[in-house]
Amino acid sequence: MRVFVTGATGFIGSAVVPELIGAGHQVVGLARSDDGAVALKAAGAEVHRGSLEDPEGLARAAAAADGVIHLAAIHGGTDPHAAGAADLRAIEAMGAALAGSDRPFVATSGTAIAAVGRLVTEEYGPAPGTHRTASEEAAVALAERGVRSSLVRLAPSVHGRGDQGYVPRLIAIAREKGVSAYVGDGANRWPGVHRYDAARLFRLALEKAPAGSRLHGTDEEGVPYRDIAEVIGRHLGMPVTGIPAERAYDHFGFLGRWIAVDNPTSSALTRTLLGWEPREAGLLADLDEGHYFQA
């Protein structure tokens, strides 16, 4: 297949591109910058210059492809609902270009979009009112318009070498504060998945996910956050302690709203449906390899 990939130069996308090429697919990656274009060419992909905020350009690229994997998202402190609106416009534009073709469209969401505090399965729809709710519903609904659409919900921690997400920020906060902290008793659970396992899941979704399916990119159902804090503390040689919920924002900044979230998530249906089995190190084992703590 000729596959158009948004977010192709990001942490996950840069693993998805070689996964697709290694399986015999031709990749056209979205690049916003000259550096991104150079990286894509070096990986063996073609380049489509543009951005998530150019829905017309995204639609043209989707129309010229045999399938689309949509990984791009707007980050960097942008209002989440504004970012969600831009994502929705991009999904609608690419979906319209694929309508009636039965070509695959794989979108991206997160496991925390579903109601938290219970085991989340692929059968649950999104919680109402989140910045990703409309995008997730629009992606799944493309199945009714003749698109073989599917949705991959990723764990909060997609980990591996080169990670610039939650875990590196937590390590930086621990270094700044001199303590590795968790909220309350730290029993709340974070699912995780290695970026290479996530990349393989996106390829399998592209190749054979049924129209309208929700898929979960999680290795472990949930790692107690206290265990994550303990590994960080051990590697940094600093104390590990719990803090009350009312101090979470002061200690963790904007991450304070997420630190205590309990998000146990099952990927059992995804594994059965696609034959996907994670092969890489789990979150704690990946942390223990030490690369997260190198300068």
Side-chain angles (χ1 to χ4, degrees):
M1 274 189 259
R2 179 180 174 86
V3 187
F4 176 49
V5 181
T6 74
T9 60
F11 176 61
I12 301 168
S14 59
V16 170
V17 169
E19 174 71 27
L20 292 172
I21 292 174
H25 300 294
Q26 181 183 3
V27 175
V28 180
L30 179 67
R32 293 178 299 168
S33 67
D34 291 341
D35 288 345
V38 169
L40 283 171
K41 290 177 181 177
E46 296 179 34
V47 176
H48 174 85
R49 291 300 296 263
S51 75
L52 195 63
E53 295 170 301
D54 175 22
E56 292 81 8
L58 297 176
R60 289 194 299 272
D66 299 314
V68 175
I69 294 178
H70 175 45
L71 291 160
I74 296 176
H75 299 292
T78 306
D79 174 71
H81 289 282
D87 186 51
L88 177 60
R89 289 192 294 270
I91 289 172
E92 290 175 338
M94 290 185 285
L98 297 174
S101 69
D102 199 36
R103 284 176 283 176
F105 178 85
V106 186
T108 310
S109 186
T111 63
I113 194 173
V116 297
R118 63 183 182 189
L119 183 65
V120 178
T121 74
E122 296 89 339
E123 296 169 314
Y124 288 124
T130 80
H131 69 286
R132 280 179 162 169
T133 300
S135 292
E136 179 168 317
E137 291 175 336
V140 173
L142 287 173
E144 300 171 5
R145 299 174 59 191
V147 180
R148 186 166 60 79
S149 64
S150 60
L151 182 88
V152 174
R153 287 173 171 165
L154 290 171
S157 180
V158 181
H159 55 89
R161 292 181 183 273
D163 183 4
Q164 297 180 7
Y166 286 127
V167 171
R169 291 174 185 173
L170 295 173
I171 292 170
I173 291 168
R175 284 185 164 129
E176 175 190 350
K177 303 290 186 179
V179 60
S180 181
Y182 53 87
V183 175
D185 63 2
N188 60 293
R189 294 152 291 180
W190 275 25
V193 67
H194 196 282
R195 65 190 290 246
Y196 292 149
D197 288 324
R200 194 165 63 258
L201 176 56
F202 276 101
R203 175 179 62 80
L204 291 171
L206 176 85
E207 293 173 345
K208 59 183 181 179
S213 54
R214 288 185 173 90
L215 308 165
H216 282 177
T218 61
D219 178 359
E220 301 126 323
E221 287 189 353
V223 179
Y225 185 78
R226 181 179 57 248
D227 294 353
I228 299 171
E230 287 174 349
V231 175
I232 292 173
R234 174 159 44 82
H235 278 268
L236 296 181
M238 60 179 52
V240 180
T241 187
I243 60 174
E246 58 268 22
R247 287 186 50 214
Y249 187 83
D250 289 339
H251 187 90
F252 292 104
F254 78 94
L255 284 180
R257 62 178 296 193
W258 298 109
I259 294 301
V261 165
D262 188 33
N263 184 222
T265 305
S266 170
S267 60
L269 295 178
T270 298
R271 298 181 193 217
T272 299
L273 187 64
L274 299 183
W276 176 69
E277 285 296 334
R279 304 170 184 167
E280 305 295 332
L283 176 57
L284 297 181
D286 198 13
L287 276 168
D288 258 335
E289 288 183 6
H291 58 87
Y292 273 99
F293 303 95
Q294 295 171 359

